[in-house]
Every structure is written in structure tokens, then in C-alpha cells.
Amino acid sequence: LDQVRTKHWMSIGKLDDVFILALARKTGKPDEDIRKLVMLINSIQAKKTITSSELLELNSEIEKFNK
């Protein structure tokens, strides 16, 4: 998220539909891909612990976003 904040000059305080559409517009990435990543981030942030498979999925989605 820090990369999004610094590279794209976006507030990361609220990861909602407005954020998703704005990030899609700025990056040119499909909003469906960004929505999946944001939903995963929100899900992980809501948990006290995460599994290794969730961590691997998050890493995969971040790498896909950074391509």
C-alpha cells in the first residue's frame, strides 16, 4: 500500500470502491484485478493471524499488480 501512496499519490486510508476505481484509472489495470487485491488486503487486515496460503496468495496478487 505504501507503494500506491507514494507512486500514485493516493490516500490509502479507505480501501473502498472509490479507491479501487481511482487506482484502476491511474494504473491502467483492470478494476477486477485491483478489487481482488483490495478485498484480499481488507480480509487479511481484519484477521489476527493468516495462513501461509493466504500470504502466498497476497504475494501473488501483489506481484501481478506490479507487472
Side-chain angles (χ1 to χ4, degrees):
L1 289 174
D2 188 55
Q3 174 190 347
V4 169
R5 184 182 59 78
T6 57
K7 184 175 180 182
H8 301 290
W9 295 85
M10 293 183 64
S11 170
I12 56 172
K14 190 173 182 184
L15 304 181
D16 58 6
D17 284 338
V18 173
F19 173 83
I20 291 167
L21 295 175
L23 185 56
R25 190 173 49 252
K26 284 190 172 204
T27 62
K29 308 249 184 225
D31 60 328
E32 299 85 18
D33 292 349
I34 294 174
R35 185 174 311 282
K36 182 178 179 183
L37 176 58
V38 168
M39 289 176 63
L40 183 59
I41 290 169
N42 285 335
S43 171
I44 287 172
Q45 286 180 335
K47 297 179 178 186
K48 290 184 180 185
T49 60
I50 62 171
T51 66
S52 58
S53 63
E54 289 171 319
L55 188 57
L56 288 171
E57 182 181 7
L58 176 61
N59 186 63
S60 175
E61 290 300 317
I62 291 171
E63 286 180 352
K64 183 177 171 183
F65 175 79
N66 286 329
K67 282 186 181 178

